[in-house]
Structure formats: C-alpha cells, structure tokens
Amino acid sequence: MKKAVLAVHGGAGVIRKGMLEPAQEQAYHAALATALQAGYAILKQGGTSLDAVCAAVKELEDCPLFNAGRGSVFTHDGLHEMDACVMEGKEMDAGAVAGVDGIRNPVLAARAVMEHSEHVLLSGAGAVAFARAQGLAFESEAWFHSDFRYAQWQEALKEDRVRLDHSEKKFGTVGAVACDVHGNLAAATSTGGMTNKRWGRIGDSPVPGAGTYANNAGCAVSCTGHGEFFLRGVVAYDVHCLMEYRGLSLQQAAELVICQKQVALGGEGGLIAVDAEGNSALVFNSEGMYRGLVSAKGLETAIYGG
Ligand code: ASP
C-alpha cells in the first residue's frame, strides 16, 4: 500500500468563500469523499488504477452537483452533450467519447471504446450506437434535467444577447487520477462541457494529451477549465513532458503549466495529477477547485484556494 493514491476533482472556477450555503458546501465535501472512497476501496484491495478512476468518476457522474453525467450543463439548444476519456499509463491505452447524449456514465463508454473497439475517440451518434451495442445504461432526459442547470443556461442565453464573447466561469467537470500498488497510473475525465456551447463543440476533456493523460514514465493528469485554452496548451501532456524531458517534479511541472503557461495564454482552470511514486499535485489558477485526495495517510477534500 506504499504508493496507492487517488485524487479527484469536481471542477474549477469562480468558487469563492461565502458563495455556497454551509449545507451545499457539506454536500460537495460528502460527494467528493464518496467518490474517493469508491476508488480507494479498489486500490486497497490491490485493484488497478484504471478500475479506481472509473469507479470514482462514475460516482461523480451520478451526482447532480457536478457538470458530468447526471448534472451536465445545457448546450445552446437546450441539450446535453457529454465528453469523457480514460487513459492508462502502462500500455498508454486510451478511449474516449465526445458529444454523446443519454448515456448514464460516459466514463464507462470511454472505457468500452478503449477495451472493445479498435479506436480511441468516438463522437456523436456513432459513439451512442456503440454504447448501446455494449449494453451500457441509458437514461431519459428527466435524469439529466436540473432546475439549477436550466437557470444557469437561461442566464447564459440572456448574456449572449448583449455579449457575444460570453465566457462561462464555472467549470464543473469531474476527473480522477490514481497510482495503484503496482505503480500503474490511470486518469479519467468526464464533462457536460460548457454551458451554452454550440455547433458540436468539443473541449479538452475527451482529448488524450489535452484534458486527460496517463503514462507510467511520468504522470496521470485530469484537467478542468476553459477547454479551448487547455486544448491549445496540450496541458496534460505538457505536464508529462516537463517531467520527462526537463526533469521537473510533478508539482513543479503542474505549477508551471497551470500557474504560468495557462495564465499567459488566458486559460482559467486547474488539474489533478499523480506520479508512479505516489506523489500528487492538485493545482489551479482559478479561485477554487472542488478536489480531494486519499492515500494511506488519510482522506481530505477541499473547495477554495489559499
Ligand atoms: N474543460 C471542460 C470543457 O472545456 C470544462 C470544465 O472543465 O468544466 O469542456
């Protein structure tokens, strides 16, 4: 159990102290802890990091508090289009889905793409048909509806009328990264994308190297933030490269990418990462990031910055 560690995030953004009611705060902490426990139970029994990150993300997808699975945001057309990716660091195998609807747990669809298809990334109707053929669970529109997300969408629509460059500042994507007792790494990310997104927009989350990455030679990374900037920065792979090619520590690499390079580019958000030694980094340049970490040392969850 020396190395086993699991981190999760539930999105970064403008999350300030005082913005959440104490009961809401508690609900976020509890949901993050539930996800950590689900994943860590697997690691503790000697299970794989891939199983652990999928179990943790599945919990977060089923929780309406986060922008993934059940709690996914509305697109401009009032739909839900979800993206997800998994990657494991031993063989560097990856699977992803983009722009899918109706699938209860997109992370499981991403894993099915990795394990049961010859492809890495499936999108739209093809991805949905594949998930059906794999026997994955589907839910009706009511499962994905929440009054809170609906109100958020209406607000975004209204702002669009006066500000075409409207930028949504709350990123509720979920993700998990883990190192198992064998030193194998895995990462998973799942998202509803950005409120009011249009025209089949796909963010960084389902793109290996951008929002999700795992390579035993370096680290496993799951990102959350303004996807357009994270795509351009190839953020997750950049963290890995700084470790592999420049010899930076996990923490140094994550801070350089998020607190310097993404800030310079204009990208708001953060990431969670672990390496094969069981080190972890939970770094963000936004005001807060829903996050948590569990290892033999214990379990902790947090929401706000410094
Ligand atoms: N990165 C996600 C996207 O751009 C959003 C998020 O992190 O909440 O789709």
Side-chain angles (χ1 to χ4, degrees), residues 31-242:
L32 291 166
T34 301
L36 287 169
Q37 280 152 359
Y40 197 61
I42 293 167
L43 294 181
K44 242 179 10 192
Q45 287 163 11
T48 67
S49 51
L50 180 64
D51 282 342
V53 295
C54 288
V57 166
K58 183 176 176 296
E59 286 291 335
L60 296 168
E61 285 179 337
D62 284 344
C63 174
L65 290 174
F66 303 104
N67 171 21
R70 186 172 191 180
S72 291
V73 297
F74 284 90
T75 67
H76 183 69
D77 300 316
L79 305 170
H80 301 286
E81 287 177 7
M82 303 172 285
D83 305 330
C85 181
V86 296
M87 186 160 177
E88 61 82 32
K90 191 172 171 216
E91 307 293 336
M92 289 176 59
D93 211 357
V97 292
V100 297
D101 61 355
I103 301 174
R104 177 169 170 147
N105 295 113
V107 70
L108 299 185
R111 183 170 180 170
V113 172
M114 177 173 107
E115 292 178 337
H116 304 300
S117 86
E118 55 196 359
H119 304 297
V120 168
L121 173 55
L122 299 183
S123 73
V128 171
F130 173 77
R132 276 198 200 283
Q134 289 292 314
L136 295 179
F138 277 69
E139 297 288 349
S140 69
E141 199 44 41
W143 171 261
F144 298 98
H145 182 95
S146 88
D147 290 342
F148 164 69
R149 294 291 182 210
Y150 188 83
Q152 214 178 31
W153 170 50
Q154 291 298 315
E155 200 185 303
L157 278 177
K158 226 186 300 161
E159 282 180 35
D160 258 355
R161 279 205 286 271
V162 290
R163 247 181 92 199
L164 283 171
D165 66 340
H166 165 85
S167 77
E168 169 63 37
K169 290 291 187 190
K170 292 180 206 95
F171 311 108
T173 291
V174 307
V177 291
C179 174
D180 61 31
V181 291
H182 315 289
N184 289 321
L185 304 181
T189 311
S190 181
T191 187
M194 291 176 67
T195 302
N196 207 23
K197 66 181 180 180
R198 300 186 201 191
W199 304 303
R201 179 263 186 194
I202 293 168
D204 60 313
S205 309
V207 178
T212 310
Y213 189 70
N215 181 338
N216 282 2
C219 54
V221 182
S222 172
C223 299
T224 171
H226 199 147
E228 279 66 14
F229 296 91
F230 279 61
L231 276 165
R232 287 160 57 200
V234 202
V235 165
Y237 184 58
D238 199 17
V239 174
H240 170 82
C241 287
L242 287 166

